Amino acid sequence: MLLFVLLMLIVFPFVLIASFMGPVQGGNAIYRICMLWGDIWFPLVGIIHKNIYESPHDKKRAYIFVTNHISFLDAAVIVKTYRQPIRALGKKETAGVPVFGYIYKNAIVTVDRDNAADRSKSVRKLKAVLRRHISILIFPEGTFNETGNALKSFFDGAFRIAIETQTPIKPVLFLDVYNRMPYGKLFTLTPGKSRAVFMEEIAVAGLTLKDIETLKQKVYAQMEERLLHYGVGRIS
């Protein structure tokens, strides 16, 4: 945690400067700064990260990435996993954390999940990001998966946006985050491996809003199958 805070304080002035470059160029610059932060912090705390590509991945294309969510470490693993311009959707409350919150709100799209108007505003921002050919990241489970199963049920948001913008979905699995930092133990961090698996993209061309449920279940089934394949099944 001390290393986390210290490195955040070091990069903060650069983030502050980049924030004046606008939401697109500035946001991309801030994300690159966060990538550099991650490249330093992860080795220092003994976490070795590896990306696994099950199919070819084009970093120049815009995708809607959907990822499983089971640890506070997920936010940090994002910058080691997605090595391309991206905006994640994250809860608004975190933006109130000193220093980190400023970096957070300038690098992602925030949402107040209890406010319908704010949710609609966040969706418009995500669509605007996609129009700029920048990928977005959504945790379709919404909150931590505490069910004990590989995944909890998905919300519709990511799949609705995918169909409305005709943007392909690319599932990505975080395999080891729970072992590194369980969701109930914020200040517990175990050194070791961290793997992210890029699955094959799922096309949405020609789908309509009537297909949301079918698409959601298809993505869920494929992600669950691959999590079980890699040995990340029920967590007790």
Side-chain angles (χ1 to χ4, degrees):
M1 182 59 70
L2 289 174
L3 285 169
F4 186 97
V5 173
L6 177 61
L7 289 174
M8 280 289 171
L9 291 173
I10 291 173
V11 303
F12 182 73
F14 301 98
V15 171
L16 188 62
I17 294 170
S19 67
F20 292 104
M21 297 168 58
V24 177
Q25 290 186 340
N28 288 344
I30 291 171
Y31 188 72
R32 288 194 295 271
I33 293 169
C34 291
M35 287 168 57
L36 176 61
W37 168 88
D39 289 346
I40 298 172
W41 184 75
F42 273 78
L44 288 177
V45 296
I47 298 178
I48 307 303
H49 183 83
K50 177 183 180 182
N51 287 335
I52 301 169
Y53 298 93
E54 293 191 334
S55 63
H57 176 62
D58 186 355
K59 294 181 180 180
K60 296 181 179 179
R61 291 187 62 193
Y63 297 97
I64 294 178
F65 291 109
V66 291
T67 301
N68 56 311
H69 192 21
I70 200 166
S71 170
F72 284 107
L73 190 62
D74 291 343
V77 172
I78 287 174
V79 300
K80 291 295 290 179
T81 302
Y82 302 99
R83 311 296 281 189
Q84 63 193 83
I86 191 172
R87 300 292 187 278
L89 180 67
K91 55 185 181 180
K92 200 168 189 175
E93 307 91 276
T94 307
V97 178
V99 181
F100 174 76
Y102 185 87
I103 299 173
Y104 177 86
K105 71 181 181 180
N106 281 279
I108 72 165
V109 174
T110 60
V111 60
D112 182 349
R113 292 171 296 187
D114 297 325
N115 186 308
D118 195 73
R119 291 199 303 270
S120 296
K121 182 180 178 181
S122 298
V123 169
R124 291 195 297 272
K125 287 183 177 179
L126 291 171
K127 289 180 177 179
V129 167
L130 288 170
R131 286 195 294 270
R132 295 279 189 168
H133 305 292
I134 298 171
S135 295
I136 65 174
L137 164 62
I138 296 175
F139 293 104
E141 295 165 294
T143 56
F144 286 151
N145 172 18
E146 300 181 51
T147 65
N149 298 318
L151 293 168
K152 64 179 288 188
S153 59
F154 286 176
F155 288 97
D156 290 350
F159 311 99
R160 176 179 294 274
I161 294 173
I163 291 173
E164 289 178 339
T165 62
Q166 291 292 282
T167 305
I169 290 175
K170 177 156 286 198
V172 176
L173 310 175
F174 288 171
L175 300 182
D176 306 296
V177 286
Y178 183 82
N179 293 329
R180 301 286 73 78
M181 182 186 285
Y183 51 73
K185 300 179 180 179
L186 176 60
F187 296 104
T188 299
L189 185 66
T190 304
K193 63 184 177 181
S194 167
R195 295 167 294 165
V197 178
F198 284 73
M199 295 171 57
E200 186 174 357
E201 71 176 72
I202 298 173
V204 298
L207 298 185
T208 69
L209 295 181
K210 294 180 180 179
D211 300 307
I212 288 177
E213 187 63 28
T214 301
L215 176 63
K216 182 174 68 173
Q217 293 304 323
K218 177 180 180 179
V219 175
Y220 183 100
Q222 291 189 11
M223 290 178 68
E224 181 182 49
E225 187 279 325
R226 298 315 289 165
L227 282 169
L228 294 173
H229 169 81
Y230 284 102
V232 184
R234 183 169 181 81
I235 297 173
S236 58

